[in-house]
Amino acid sequence: MTEMSSAPTVLVGAGNMGGAMLAGWLDSDTDAGSYIIVDPSPSPTVQLLIDKHGLRHEKAAPSDVEAAIVVLAVKPQMMETALPALTGMIGDDTLCISIAAGTTVSTIQSFLGDIAVVRAMPNTPAMVGRGITGAWANAAVSPAQRDAADRMLSVTGPVEWVDEEPLIDAITAVSGSGPAYVFYLAECMAEAGRRAGLDEDIAMRLARATVSGAGELMRRSDDPAETLRKNVTSPGGTTAAALDVLMGGDAMQDLLTRAVAAAKKRAGELAG
């Protein structure tokens, strides 16, 4: 995974998302010695990986390492504390990959210097290998570094690259926050089923299976979502009656458009 250099990859932050990425790297790369984990208190899952693979674990950034790649997987509110401690690991050819929402490249460079930075936004399905990540690379990132970043990010799902950093805020609003929208859809479907007379537990099981099953069908199909929707909708049938409500006056589209706009605006605010 670190083909550019024999220098290590340093994962800073070993929570759920960092752990998901680490598990993917270890599954695709047997050289466990090329990874260093920096976290004062790794998640239990990451601790198991550390113990199983004999990974080097440090509670604070080591002073004896110049990293090929530094992956920043700490919470955004911890960045200003975490970044100053990393300067000793940064060399002229170090690539920094940040998955912290709202943390701009200029913020990272204000602490680490004018280095190569990839700003990325994965989402929580990455924890089961079904995520998707949006990414942007600054001008200092070489083609080899971009390829390395793509390999590292793609262990949890596909990577979509954009040409402008502000588009990361839009990605955050659509796919980064998007799983919560889908979970809320399942909640609403289950509550609607309960109000229609179903037992509460049955309604939730129906909603969960329907949402996850529809997602899997869409993943396996080459047809666009619109075609899949139309395939389920018989003219004058029950689905058509429901869609008349959801699509009438673009009700659902308008609601989601406003929701995504609100999330994008908030992402921009967090970025300062």
Side-chain angles (χ1 to χ4, degrees):
M1 193 66 67
T2 51
E3 295 174 16
M4 293 186 308
S5 168
S6 59
T9 292
V10 180
L11 173 64
V12 183
N16 289 335
M17 193 61 71
M21 296 175 68
L22 177 62
W25 302 336
L26 293 170
D27 282 344
S28 59
D29 187 343
T30 56
D31 184 12
S34 63
Y35 300 104
I36 299 173
I37 315 305
V38 177
D39 193 306
S41 183
S43 71
T45 299
V46 173
Q47 188 62 57
L48 287 173
L49 292 173
I50 291 170
D51 295 341
K52 176 181 178 181
H53 295 276
L55 303 178
R56 179 175 171 181
H57 170 223
E58 302 285 350
K59 293 188 175 182
S63 59
D64 62 339
V65 169
E66 182 175 304
I69 301 173
V70 174
V71 180
L72 298 173
V74 299
K75 295 183 184 300
Q77 59 268 32
M78 296 173 59
M79 273 295 203
E80 291 194 2
T81 300
L83 287 170
L86 305 180
T87 55
M89 295 193 300
I90 305 300
D92 292 340
D93 298 319
T94 301
L95 168 66
C96 177
I97 302 173
S98 171
I99 64 170
T103 303
T104 63
V105 168
S106 63
T107 296
I108 294 169
Q109 289 184 323
S110 70
F111 290 96
L112 303 183
D114 189 21
I115 66 169
V117 182
V118 168
R119 186 176 168 196
M121 177 47 57
N123 62 5
T124 53
M127 291 187 286
V128 293
R130 291 286 303 279
I132 188 165
T133 299
W136 175 78
N138 74 346
V141 175
S142 70
Q145 287 175 321
R146 175 166 162 152
D147 288 345
D150 192 86
R151 290 193 302 272
M152 298 196 76
L153 294 168
S154 66
V155 296
T156 60
V159 181
E160 297 289 343
W161 290 88
V162 293
D163 296 328
E164 300 175 19
E165 183 178 7
L167 290 175
I168 292 294
D169 291 341
I171 288 169
T172 300
V174 174
S175 61
S177 299
Y181 314 156
V182 177
F183 300 148
Y184 185 56
L185 172 64
E187 287 182 67
C188 290
M189 288 176 62
E191 175 59 17
R194 187 193 67 79
R195 295 183 188 185
L198 289 170
D199 175 84
E200 182 176 348
D201 290 340
I202 291 175
M204 178 53 77
R205 288 196 294 272
L206 289 169
R208 287 173 65 106
T210 299
V211 169
S212 61
E216 182 65 15
L217 177 60
M218 186 159 57
R219 185 181 78 90
R220 296 190 186 192
S221 175
D222 292 329
D223 291 333
E226 179 184 9
T227 298
L228 294 173
R229 168 177 59 79
K230 289 180 177 178
N231 288 345
V232 184
T233 310
S234 301
T238 59
T239 307
L243 289 175
D244 284 345
V245 176
L246 294 173
M247 299 174 69
D250 284 334
M252 191 168 184
Q253 181 62 70
D254 180 63
L255 185 63
L256 276 172
T257 298
R258 288 190 286 120
V260 167
K264 181 183 177 184
K265 179 175 182 289
R266 182 57 181 154
E269 292 170 350
L270 290 172

